[in-house]
Amino acid sequence: MIYIGIDLGGTAVKIGAVSASGQVLGKAEKPTRAERPYGEVIRDMAEGIREILGQLNLPEDQIAAIGVGVPGAVNNDTGYVTDCTNLGWMNTDFRGEMHRYFSCPVILENDANVAALAEAKVGISKGTHSSIMITLGTGVGSAIMMDGKLWTGSHGVAGEIGHMILVPDGVACNCGRMGCVERYCSATALAEQARHYSLTYADTMILQMAGGKKENITAKMVVDAAREGDRLGVQLFTNYCRYLAMTIDNVINFFDPEMIILGGGVSKAGDFLLKGVLSYIPAYVMGAERAGTRVVLATLGNDAGIIGAALLGLK
Ligand SMILES: [Zn+2]
């Protein structure tokens, strides 16, 4: 039997067939084009699944389950995507629509949870009793694994660390409040700060990388400039690491997990990010035992979404 995993993103839908041990056997990809009616996006997913079955020369009844990671909130009792602002999907009958094409079980989960599940089953946190994954992307998300299971909270919204307040009266957030973690620790925040300060530091390498247009600045450019010793790059990246360390330290002080895993776009900065963050950790974490929490980088990269979604079917 194979397990289908679907990573539903804002720009692309990645589909994969995965073995029970978490090995990726075949893949397909479709553009999301989220402006379309959701039925068309799900039809493309079904087409991708059929393509993979063709690659592997397997009949449909070999699919044990279809799992999907959604960048928003889901309800597994109803099979609905309840709130996915990025795609404009509100109370969308995902399972019902997918059942028009395949009759196997269809399981939904939030995408940060899916990535954490993948790392815990076949990645860096395999064998740990507790871990928290923090994703540093467009926003900041997190997922909690306890005793090999996801802890999603009594209302399914646990781990919203992106909207914990880090700076009183700080930068305004999409959620309507001010000073949220997301406004300091996301890839978006890093790029936005660089855009803002590029006017004062007109000689910054970041602006050159963006072809002189501040609206083209990305988080990766800031990281690359910091590596090269660019004054603005170093300043912004150092601040970024400090804010992220404070957030991590709050999580450690509160939860004392065995491991904290950093994933998402900014984690691609690798050891450069890890070193920067770790240098601040002793300043904030109380007690030697809590300071024993390992802070590491995600290892599964782009396939984490497919693998984790597929492994939802093992339950
Ligand atoms: Zn917020």
Side-chain angles (χ1 to χ4, degrees):
M1 299 295 273
I2 55 162
Y3 297 82
I4 297 292
I6 301 174
D7 179 359
L8 171 58
T11 49
V13 180
K14 293 173 195 150
I15 306 143
V18 173
S19 71
S21 59
Q23 195 194 351
V24 180
L25 306 168
K27 286 201 265 189
E29 189 168 328
K30 304 278 173 191
T32 310
R33 306 213 316 268
E35 70 284 356
R36 302 184 284 171
Y38 74 90
E40 290 184 21
V41 181
I42 295 169
R43 186 197 60 207
D44 278 2
M45 288 176 184
E47 198 183 293
I49 295 171
R50 293 228 164 84
E51 283 169 26
I52 296 170
L53 287 173
Q55 288 166 27
L56 301 174
N57 203 14
L58 286 174
E60 245 176 74
D61 62 9
Q62 284 302 298
I63 301 176
I66 297 173
V68 57
V70 178
V74 300
N75 180 338
N76 257 315
D77 295 332
T78 59
Y80 275 52
V81 173
T82 47
D83 183 358
C84 180
T85 322
N86 292 342
L87 301 179
W89 290 15
M90 302 293 278
N91 292 316
T92 301
D93 183 12
F94 186 95
R95 184 182 293 149
E97 196 66 24
M98 189 56 93
H99 274 162
R100 291 176 56 181
Y101 306 97
F102 299 98
S103 55
C104 62
V106 174
I107 306 142
L108 292 81
E109 190 52 80
N110 167 268
D111 59 354
N113 289 343
V114 158
L117 184 68
E119 293 291 348
K121 295 291 180 193
V122 297
I124 186 91
S125 52
K126 187 178 177 184
T128 62
H129 289 288
S130 58
S131 63
I132 294 185
M133 176 143 186
I134 302 178
T135 51
L136 311 164
T138 310
V140 175
S142 85
I144 304 159
M145 292 288 305
M146 276 196 289
D147 298 325
K149 285 185 207 139
L150 280 169
W151 169 256
T152 53
S154 2
H155 310 92
V157 291
E160 279 289 359
I161 66 164
H163 299 284
M164 295 195 310
I165 290 175
L166 192 60
V167 179
D169 305 320
V171 181
C173 184
N174 300 335
C175 74
R177 303 187 304 163
M178 288 160 94
C180 292
V181 164
E182 197 160 290
R183 300 274 55 89
Y184 299 86
C185 298
S186 62
T188 313
L190 196 52
E192 264 168 16
Q193 284 158 17
R195 279 177 211 131
H196 179 75
Y197 286 107
S198 65
L199 300 172
T200 340
Y201 293 73
D203 62 340
T204 178
M205 189 186 280
I206 302 171
L207 205 52
Q208 288 169 30
M209 289 173 175
K213 287 185 181 154
K214 70 179 175 101
E215 59 273 22
N216 291 342
I217 293 175
T218 64
K220 185 177 184 301
M221 290 173 191
V222 183
V223 174
D224 290 345
R227 276 186 213 274
E228 298 294 321
D230 177 79
R231 201 155 60 101
L232 178 60
V234 169
Q235 207 166 313
L236 293 176
F237 190 68
T238 305
N239 261 329
Y240 178 90
C241 290
R242 186 165 160 243
Y243 281 124
L244 183 55
M246 275 188 220
T247 306
I248 290 170
D249 295 335
N250 285 338
V251 171
I252 295 176
N253 284 327
F254 180 66
F255 199 83
D256 183 25
E258 223 172 304
M259 186 180 277
I260 288 184
I261 308 148
L262 303 179
V266 184
S267 74
K268 290 186 183 141
D271 285 337
F272 188 54
L273 173 73
L274 205 53
K275 259 192 184 165
V277 170
L278 290 179
S279 69
Y280 284 107
I281 300 257
Y284 303 117
V285 173
M286 298 192 322
E289 279 155 27
R290 288 179 190 152
T293 295
R294 285 176 62 200
V295 181
V296 299
L297 298 164
T299 52
L300 294 173
N302 292 336
D303 282 346
I306 288 177
I307 296 170
L311 296 181
L312 289 169
L314 281 179
K315 276 194 231 176

